[in-house]
Amino acid sequence: MKVRVHVSLKPGVLDPQGRAIHHSLEGLGFAGVNDVRAGRLFELDVADSVSDEAIDEMCRKLLANMVIENYRIEKVAA
Amino acid sequence: MKVRVHVSLKPGVLDPQGRAIHHSLEGLGFAGVNDVRAGRLFELDVADSVSDEAIDEMCRKLLANMVIENYRIEKVAA
């Protein structure tokens, strides 16, 4: 079973990486970009026997920093 | 318009970050994880006037390293 975990900063948390990318895009001449937020993406290949609760726990314990980040779990058809 | 850009390593490219996460998950006692690949996620807020071609160009020029990474553009309903 393929699982994608999307980790993004909570709203209001300062994102220097996103700001740098935004600045670079403007420097490259791209107009109309209002905001950029940077996050992380994890693609997990897990056994079908792994429960949703276990995947949720992986996110909370390791993949995301719950103080400043949100995560979203997306199951992908294998 | 909100746009999500998913950047992930091409198949076959060594992923030390993913391997470290995989190892850590096992260390935490999670069984049944076969593979972990780490990637990046960018959430862009762009003006509606920005064309698909421009977004594609942003990915190729700045957001993804086309030598080792693939990208996928996902438009999110505002």
Side-chain angles (χ1 to χ4, degrees):
Chain A
M1 180 172 61
K2 290 251 180 197
V3 178
R4 272 195 211 113
V5 176
H6 307 247
V7 177
S8 53
L9 285 170
K10 289 185 179 178
V13 176
L14 205 68
D15 180 6
Q17 192 189 354
R19 187 164 295 199
I21 293 166
H22 188 180
H23 194 77
S24 295
L25 283 174
E26 287 176 340
L28 286 170
F30 292 106
V33 179
N34 302 321
D35 191 32
V36 180
R37 303 281 285 175
R40 282 170 297 129
L41 172 72
F42 301 105
E43 294 175 327
L44 280 74
D45 182 0
V46 298
D48 291 342
S49 58
V50 174
S51 67
D52 291 2
E53 288 72 30
I55 296 170
D56 206 65
E57 206 180 335
M58 291 178 201
C59 295
R60 279 184 283 109
K61 279 200 176 165
L62 186 70
L63 301 180
N65 176 351
M66 295 307 296
V67 178
I68 56 168
E69 291 172 329
N70 287 325
Y71 65 90
R72 188 165 59 83
I73 295 167
E74 178 193 4
K75 289 190 177 183
V76 188
Chain B
M1 179 173 61
K2 291 251 181 199
V3 179
R4 272 196 212 113
V5 176
H6 307 248
V7 177
S8 53
L9 286 170
K10 289 184 179 178
V13 177
L14 205 69
D15 180 6
Q17 192 190 354
R19 187 163 293 198
I21 293 167
H22 188 180
H23 194 77
S24 295
L25 284 173
E26 286 176 341
L28 286 169
F30 292 105
V33 179
N34 302 321
D35 191 32
V36 180
R37 302 281 285 175
R40 283 170 297 130
L41 173 72
F42 301 105
E43 294 175 327
L44 281 73
D45 181 359
V46 298
D48 291 341
S49 58
V50 174
S51 67
D52 291 3
E53 289 73 29
I55 296 170
D56 206 65
E57 207 181 333
M58 290 179 201
C59 295
R60 278 183 283 109
K61 279 200 174 164
L62 186 70
L63 301 179
N65 177 351
M66 295 307 298
V67 178
I68 57 168
E69 292 172 329
N70 287 325
Y71 65 90
R72 188 165 59 85
I73 295 167
E74 178 193 3
K75 289 190 177 184
V76 188

